[in-house]
């Protein structure tokens, strides 16, 4: 665990293991999502986990990053770590970021892994309208994001079996939200996750990296139908659907995810 200045942002990075580099990119659930897979995967890979700007222990960006800016930040991180090419595995909004990366930087992408990725959901007007989004985001920031109980209850839908959720997950995530600028960054990424679908659909057929698409069969956050669409649009892709699993794949079915990733060393 250490901190690096990347693109002017104090960034928390963890690196463990040896082998081909595998970069784990979290989504709105933050870096806590990877806690059950890092050590086992480090038996086979050089695992790099990044707290994206505005999440975990990293500082927040000075402005709202677009999805492409987060992808460019990943590139700056690889450059800083002197990694010429890596496999990128992203969950939820992290998958959307990784897809942008693989499209724009094919020579830096060994493989692409999309785990319950956002980016293809139906775009809702509230996310596209600056006026409506300004009002809604202020409301969410002042209410939902300041209630640990509400966050914990609403996040239950991310699990098929709530007993598989780590007992301290809600508390740690809630505490991380109170770092300066983190609530703003979280809300911005939420908006990003629900916009830009047509742009992404145009990119996906041009992704050249071998791609694994992994989904929970019972995902109520991002429909498995989105996984099927990613599979249709990305030429060199495979699709794995895990039964009795919802959105939080690395926490709910870590063994299955580790096995899937390890099969493609």
């Amino acid at each position: 665990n250490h901190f690096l200045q990347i693109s002017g942002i104090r960034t928390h990075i963890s690196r463990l293991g040896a082998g081909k580099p595998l970069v784990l990119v979290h989504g709105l659930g933050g870096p806590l999502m990877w806690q059950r897979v890092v050590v086992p995967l480090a038996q086979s890979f050089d695992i790099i986990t990044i707290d994206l700007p505005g999440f975990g222990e990293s500082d927040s960006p000075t402005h709202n990053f677009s999805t492409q800016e987060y992808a460019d930040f990943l590139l700056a991180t690889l450059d800083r770590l002197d990694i010429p090419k890596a496999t990128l595995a992203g969950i939820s909004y992290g998958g959307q970021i990784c897809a942008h990366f693989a499209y724009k930087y094919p020579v830096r992408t060994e493989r692409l892994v999309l785990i319950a990725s956002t980016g293809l959901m139906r775009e809702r007007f509230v996310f596209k309208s600056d006026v409506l989004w300004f009002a809604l985001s202020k409301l969410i920031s002042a209410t939902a994001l300041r209630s640990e109980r509400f966050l914990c209850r609403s996040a239950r839908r991310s699990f098929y079996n709530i007993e598989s959720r780590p007992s301290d997950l809600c508390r740690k995530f809630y505490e991380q939200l109170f770092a300066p600028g983190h609530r703003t960054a979280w809300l911005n990424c939420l908006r990003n996750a629900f916009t830009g679908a047509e742009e992404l659909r145009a990119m996906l057929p041009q992704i050249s990296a071998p791609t694994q698409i992994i989904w929970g069969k019972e995902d109520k956050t991002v429909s498995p139908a989105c996984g099927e669409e990613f599979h249709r649009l990305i030429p060199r892709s495979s699709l794995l659907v895990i039964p009795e699993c919802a959105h939080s794949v690395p926490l709910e079915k870590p063994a299955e995810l580790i096995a899937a990733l390890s099969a493609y060393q």
Side-chain angles (χ1 to χ4, degrees):
N1 290 340
H2 58 288
F3 290 88
L4 294 173
Q5 286 290 126
I6 300 173
S7 302
I9 297 171
R10 182 175 179 266
T11 305
H12 181 248
I13 291 176
S14 299
R15 195 167 185 179
L16 188 67
K20 288 186 176 181
L22 171 59
V23 181
L24 302 179
V25 183
H26 65 77
L28 292 168
L32 295 166
M33 191 58 60
W34 301 117
Q35 60 186 277
R36 287 178 172 159
V37 300
V38 169
V39 172
L41 284 172
Q43 308 302 312
S44 306
F45 298 96
D46 173 13
I47 299 295
I48 299 101
T49 54
I50 305 163
D51 293 12
L52 294 173
F55 290 84
E57 296 181 57
S58 291
D59 287 351
S60 296
T62 55
H63 67 279
N64 285 334
F65 272 21
S66 66
T67 300
Q68 188 57 59
E69 284 177 295
Y70 274 112
D72 293 343
F73 184 85
L74 290 184
L75 179 69
T77 302
L78 293 184
D79 288 344
R80 185 77 167 77
L81 296 173
D82 197 26
I83 297 173
K85 199 170 189 178
T87 294
L88 280 85
I91 180 165
S92 197
Y93 181 58
Q96 188 174 337
I97 294 169
C98 291
H100 276 249
F101 182 99
Y103 166 77
K104 190 172 182 182
Y105 306 113
V107 298
R108 305 297 296 272
T109 310
E110 182 79 35
R111 299 185 68 85
L112 175 64
V113 184
L114 303 178
I115 308 164
S117 178
T118 60
L120 297 181
M121 292 101 74
R122 184 168 65 88
E123 296 191 25
R124 299 178 185 277
F125 185 68
V126 68
F127 292 106
K128 293 192 281 187
S129 164
D130 289 340
V131 172
L132 286 178
W133 174 248
F134 178 80
L136 179 61
S137 62
K138 289 294 183 185
L139 177 64
I140 296 171
S141 181
T143 56
L145 295 186
R146 294 179 186 273
S147 168
E148 181 182 355
R149 179 179 292 182
F150 178 86
L151 286 172
C152 204
R153 187 182 302 126
S154 60
R156 291 176 68 93
R157 71 199 306 267
S158 294
F159 291 84
Y160 173 75
N161 176 11
I162 194 60
E163 297 300 319
S164 63
R165 181 167 69 182
S167 59
D168 60 352
L169 185 70
C170 296
R171 163 56 50 178
K172 287 183 176 179
F173 177 73
Y174 180 70
E175 289 172 351
Q176 289 179 357
L177 274 177
F178 276 81
H182 277 35
R183 281 193 300 277
T184 299
W186 189 92
L187 286 162
N188 172 63
C189 289
L190 175 66
R191 189 185 193 190
N192 288 348
F194 279 92
T195 51
E198 289 312 308
E199 178 190 14
L200 184 58
R201 284 188 177 95
M203 293 179 185
L204 295 178
Q206 300 178 66
I207 289 177
S208 57
T211 302
Q212 280 180 282
I213 300 160
I214 301 172
W215 230 269
K217 187 177 181 180
E218 279 72 39
D219 193 334
K220 293 182 175 63
T221 305
V222 184
S223 169
C226 290
E228 294 167 5
E229 186 174 4
F230 274 111
H231 182 36
R232 284 198 305 272
L233 291 173
I234 300 175
R236 301 173 64 194
S237 67
S238 62
L239 174 62
L240 171 66
V241 179
I242 302 175
E244 297 186 354
C245 180
H247 191 62
S248 298
V249 179
L251 290 175
E252 189 153 45
K253 296 290 183 180
E256 288 83 347
L257 179 59
I258 292 162
L261 293 175
S262 300
Y264 289 92
Q265 291 185 58

